[in-house]
Structures are given as C-alpha cells and as structure tokens.
Amino acid sequence: QVQLVESGGGLVQPGGSLRLSCAASGSIFIIEFMGWYRQAPGKQRDLVARIDSDGSTNYADSVKSRFTISRDNAKNTVYLQMNSLKPEDTAVYYCTALVDNMRYWGKGTLVTVSS
C-alpha cells in the first residue's frame, strides 16, 4: 500500500502565495507521475498540474504562469508553488500519484483565497 500525505493548505489573501507538499510513502518501486487536482464546492475534480518521471509537466490553462509543480524523487515528494492566488483558486487540493501502475489519492488539503 501507498499513502499520500498533503500539507501546506490554508487561508491566504488574493495575490498571495502558498506552497503545497505531498509525500508518498509505503511500498514504492516506481512513481510514474505525481500531480495535483482540485475540487471547488459543487464542481468536479479537475487537474491542476502534473509532473512525470522524466520531469515533463502539464498545467491547467487557468494556473499557467502562476503555479509551478516540482518533484524531489529522492524524497518521493511533489510540490505545488502557487503564486498570485485568486478567489477562484479556492478548493480542496488533492495529491495523486501513479505508483507501480496503481493510482493513489491523498485526503486533500483546503486552500482558501479570501480577503
């Protein structure tokens, strides 16, 4: 089994920054990709950003140039640096990973952007 534990969520004012972290632990051989999804109240869960094992990245159009995903392979950890946050970024952010061909999800961390 693999566990994903997120941290770094919280309340921030519009224009502010937050950094999310997600650490994978357990029985891990290969992590094909790690990424972040988010789900706002009443909406579906959507991709925010993803980083593959070769370092290639993919972002939702709404966060390009504001968010940066990175990965520490030695620590099995993925980060999401979020800058210039907007109220519409408010959501529960979920970490996800494809580990040994199985998909895992974290429990989520709440990000609230409000003045």
Side-chain angles (χ1 to χ4, degrees), residues 31-45:
I31 300 179
E32 287 88 344
F33 71 78
M34 299 186 79
W36 294 92
Y37 280 67
R38 68 185 180 187
Q39 187 168 20
K43 296 188 176 181
Q44 66 181 20
R45 189 177 298 188

Side-chain angles (χ1 to χ4, degrees), residues 13-52:
Q13 292 187 341
S17 298
L18 280 177
R19 188 192 194 209
L20 305 182
S21 301
C22 171
S25 62
S27 178
I28 298 171
F29 182 58
I30 294 176
I31 300 179
E32 287 88 344
F33 71 78
M34 299 186 79
W36 294 92
Y37 280 67
R38 68 185 180 187
Q39 187 168 20
K43 296 188 176 181
Q44 66 181 20
R45 189 177 298 188
D46 292 323
L47 173 71
V48 176
R50 161 179 162 164
I51 184 166
D52 290 352

Side-chain angles (χ1 to χ4, degrees), residues 35-82:
W36 294 92
Y37 280 67
R38 68 185 180 187
Q39 187 168 20
K43 296 188 176 181
Q44 66 181 20
R45 189 177 298 188
D46 292 323
L47 173 71
V48 176
R50 161 179 162 164
I51 184 166
D52 290 352
S53 58
D54 62 359
S56 59
T57 58
N58 185 33
Y59 293 91
D61 288 342
S62 60
V63 307
K64 283 181 181 177
S65 78
R66 299 189 298 123
F67 291 9
T68 302
I69 191 169
S70 60
R71 179 172 168 176
D72 185 333
N73 291 328
K75 296 181 178 180
N76 291 331
T77 299
V78 64
Y79 305 96
L80 185 69
Q81 178 65 43
M82 304 185 294

